[in-house]
Amino acid sequence: MESKYKRLMSNTALFALSSFSSKLLSIVLQPYITFAMGEVDEVGITKLVQQIGLLLIPLVSMGVSFAIIRFGLEKTNDKRTVFTNGVVTIGCGFVLMALFYPLLKLIPLFSQYAVLLYLHVLFSCLRTLCTQFVRSRQLNRLVAVDGVMCSATNLGFMVLFLSGMKLGASGYVLAVICSDLLSCLFIFLVADLHRYFRWKRFSFPLWKKMMAYALPMVPAQISFWVISASNLFFVQTLCEGFGGETGEYWTGLLSVGSFLPNMLTVLGTIFYEAWQLSAVTEENGRAAFFGRVFYIYQTLLFCCCSGIILLCRPLMFLFRENFYEAWRFVPLLTLGALFNCFNQFLSSVYMVEKRSSLSLATMLPGAVINCLLSWWLLGEFGPNAASFASMMSYLLVFLLRVVTVRRLLPMRFRMPRLVLFTLLLSLEAWLMLQEVALWPLWCGIITLFICLTGAKTLLSAVSQMLKRRRRKATS
């Protein structure tokens, strides 16, 4: 039994090494962008262009990256067939995107950055395909090295194009393109991926199975994009003139306010990349394994979430002075990021059971609620209503996933504790946003209680694992 946890911790450490560089990069990069671009409006435009690319990526890839790792991990499938099927799928998707250019021009800002966005989408899809495939081959050290190198090249290109050449939003996208391209070449050469691409290995029967699994993930990803990114476009449109500022100004503040919550999302992604390998390969006692890991996982996230909310105001001094007010977006966005991490974990159950349609069934209602709340609340309550809409959307998705997951896997959620900590974090966020008298004291007490309780839980879990290991060693 202990080998399960040992393997999970080992994979998590490797993916943490891979993602630590990108995490460190995001710490440095977001404040750097505010200084390199200067104006809040310009940062807002950059984020809007980036989100257009993120919207197009799942459409072009047809969600095949999810199928690559799920089918690649199965020993009964020929890995050359899996990889070839993935390359062909992305190639077809890119051709379709080229044919739909007249429609894509209707997306705001698309035509202005069309060439860069096409290249960004293509190389991002290919890089994801390559990294997911090498994960399916258990080449986790290679993924870690590639993550460090990709972050280093990304930072270098950002400095070159933003500070050196002053290219603004175009420079931002171009830096991402160049780093993704170099990453593709690196993985392709080191992992000898040319040996796995063979036209004659394309299998239509397997491709149909892969698409049956992957295609429901496309609207699910788009729904996720609606919850996480569409608010930038809602804010740009509905908050024009709010407080005497432009829509791009509020978009810039919202994107900077997402900086700290995104750190929680990065932490969740690091874990999930390792967890999905264990979720598929570990079959004995799966329900108990999932329940115990989720208990420890949520404990860590609650501690991090409370700390981020408490420290968000002083951490905003990392940015240029005119971005300080972005702290107001942080508490609600952090709560949303917390439930997003929970949702990501629960999606692994759908992956194991090959029930990807449930990802869409649970994510779509969240996307609808997000749009309705944003449209209804933004005009009256201002830009921070977008943060509230995102938080409520992720919460709804989580509740739906709890219900559906229980039907597939009888894992324990320990709901009373989860509800208590959620209420405490909500209270902490409210105290800070309302700037109640002595709010730093009350927020500090809440954070201390959550962290001390969490530390007790984590120490207890580690102690039990060590006791089992000793019993196993002496038996």
Side-chain angles (χ1 to χ4, degrees):
M1 178 181 291
E2 298 308 317
S3 62
K4 296 180 181 180
Y5 300 96
K6 184 177 180 180
R7 189 178 301 110
L8 176 58
M9 287 187 290
S10 175
N11 288 334
T12 302
L14 283 171
F15 292 129
L17 175 62
S18 172
S19 299
F20 176 76
S21 55
S22 61
K23 182 178 179 181
L24 182 62
L25 176 64
S26 64
I27 293 174
V28 174
L29 197 56
Q30 190 67 63
Y32 162 72
I33 289 174
T34 64
F35 284 94
M37 294 187 173
E39 297 300 324
V40 179
D41 303 62
E42 191 175 5
V43 175
I45 293 173
T46 299
K47 292 302 179 181
L48 289 172
V49 173
Q50 182 187 29
Q51 293 305 328
I52 293 171
L54 293 178
L55 171 63
L56 294 174
I57 286 170
L59 293 171
V60 171
S61 68
M62 303 185 200
V64 74
S65 60
F66 296 100
I68 286 291
I69 191 165
R70 182 63 185 89
F71 286 81
L73 284 170
E74 291 185 347
K75 297 178 180 179
T76 55
N77 294 324
D78 185 347
K79 285 186 166 41
R80 289 172 295 182
T81 300
V82 171
F83 184 70
T84 300
N85 286 0
V87 174
V88 171
T89 302
I90 289 176
C92 293
F94 186 75
V95 171
L96 287 174
M97 186 176 78
L99 294 175
F100 278 95
Y101 176 75
L103 289 178
L104 294 175
K105 285 175 62 177
L106 300 177
I107 301 177
L109 295 177
F110 179 84
S111 57
Q112 186 178 350
Y113 300 93
V115 175
L116 291 176
L117 282 169
Y118 269 95
L119 292 174
H120 168 46
V121 170
L122 175 62
F123 290 123
S124 179
C125 291
L126 290 175
R127 178 175 185 256
T128 303
L129 171 70
C130 292
T131 53
Q132 290 288 75
F133 183 68
V134 297
R135 281 194 183 107
S136 73
R137 292 170 55 195
Q138 305 287 326
L139 301 178
N140 298 329
R141 290 183 176 83
L142 176 58
V143 176
V145 172
D146 172 70
V148 174
M149 292 183 61
C150 188
S151 297
T153 56
N154 194 2
L155 178 59
F157 285 124
M158 286 287 180
V159 174
L160 173 63
F161 296 137
L162 294 182
S163 295
M165 303 177 68
K166 307 292 184 182
L167 295 180
S170 297
Y172 183 94
V173 180
L174 189 58
V176 175
I177 291 171
C178 292
S179 61
D180 281 347
L181 173 59
L182 291 179
S183 173
C184 284
L185 293 174
F186 173 74
I187 295 177
F188 196 85
L189 294 174
V190 175
D192 292 326
L193 295 187
H194 65 277
R195 296 190 297 108
Y196 292 88
F197 180 73
R198 293 288 185 272
W199 285 109
K200 63 182 180 180
R201 285 289 177 178
F202 178 80
S203 170
F204 188 71
L206 180 60
W207 183 81
K208 287 197 300 183
K209 292 180 181 178
M210 292 174 67
M211 287 297 98
Y213 176 81
L215 286 177
M217 302 299 289
V218 175
Q221 278 191 289
I222 294 174
S223 298
F224 172 76
W225 180 90
V226 169
I227 297 174
S228 62
S230 68
N231 286 337
L232 291 172
F233 296 91
F234 276 112
V235 168
Q236 182 197 27
T237 304
L238 300 179
C239 293
E240 181 68 34
F242 185 88
E245 301 290 351
T246 65
E248 286 79 10
Y249 172 87
W250 292 114
T251 300
L253 279 188
L254 178 58
S255 63
V256 171
S258 303
F259 162 68
L260 292 174
N262 284 344
M263 302 307 297
L264 192 66
T265 303
V266 168
L267 177 64
T269 302
I270 290 172
F271 175 79
Y272 181 74
E273 288 175 346
W275 168 245
Q276 61 184 347
L277 300 181
S278 295
V280 174
T281 56
E282 303 293 349
E283 298 181 1
N284 296 326
R286 180 171 280 164
F289 183 44
F290 271 61
R292 184 163 186 78
V293 171
F294 183 67
Y295 179 57
I296 297 172
Y297 181 55
Q298 65 170 269
T299 299
L300 282 170
L301 290 178
F302 277 127
C303 294
C304 293
C305 187
S306 61
I308 289 173
I309 294 174
L310 178 66
L311 299 175
C312 69
R313 293 185 72 164
L315 287 175
M316 279 297 136
F317 287 109
L318 292 171
F319 299 87
R320 194 166 176 155
E321 184 179 358
N322 52 341
F323 288 86
Y324 176 75
E325 286 300 311
W327 75 265
R328 297 185 181 277
F329 296 99
V330 175
L332 295 180
L333 288 175
T334 304
L335 284 169
L338 172 72
F339 285 105
N340 180 31
C341 291
F342 290 165
N343 295 335
Q344 191 178 47
F345 181 94
L346 296 183
S347 70
S348 64
V349 178
Y350 303 151
M351 180 181 69
V352 169
E353 301 294 333
K354 293 184 179 179
R355 298 289 298 275
S356 55
S357 59
L358 290 175
S359 291
L360 171 60
T362 53
M363 190 64 75
L364 186 57
V368 173
I369 289 297
N370 181 78
C371 291
L372 292 176
L373 287 176
S374 296
W375 187 266
W376 180 36
L377 299 176
L378 273 170
E380 184 175 354
F381 295 100
N384 211 12
S387 307
F388 176 77
S390 291
M391 180 194 71
M392 295 304 296
S393 301
Y394 284 126
L395 175 59
L396 174 62
V397 174
F398 174 68
L399 295 175
L400 292 173
R401 291 195 171 180
V402 168
V403 173
T404 54
V405 162
R406 277 179 166 168
R407 296 173 182 171
L408 300 174
L409 192 72
M411 59 177 282
R412 291 183 62 192
F413 284 93
R414 292 179 170 87
M415 291 303 292
R417 182 177 179 275
L418 196 151
V419 171
L420 172 63
F421 277 19
T422 299
L423 291 175
L424 287 174
L425 288 175
S426 300
L427 176 61
E428 182 182 4
W430 180 82
L431 290 169
M432 176 171 287
L433 289 173
Q434 296 299 316
E435 299 184 274
V436 175
L438 300 177
W439 68 263
L441 173 63
W442 308 128
C443 291
I445 291 173
I446 292 173
T447 299
L448 184 63
F449 173 78
I450 291 176
C451 290
L452 288 178
T453 306
K456 182 180 178 182
T457 299
L458 295 174
L459 289 174
S460 174
V462 171
S463 175
Q464 290 180 19
M465 290 176 64
L466 290 175
K467 287 179 181 178
R468 290 176 184 174
R469 181 171 293 180
R470 292 194 195 99
R471 286 199 299 266
K472 185 177 181 180
T474 55
S475 61

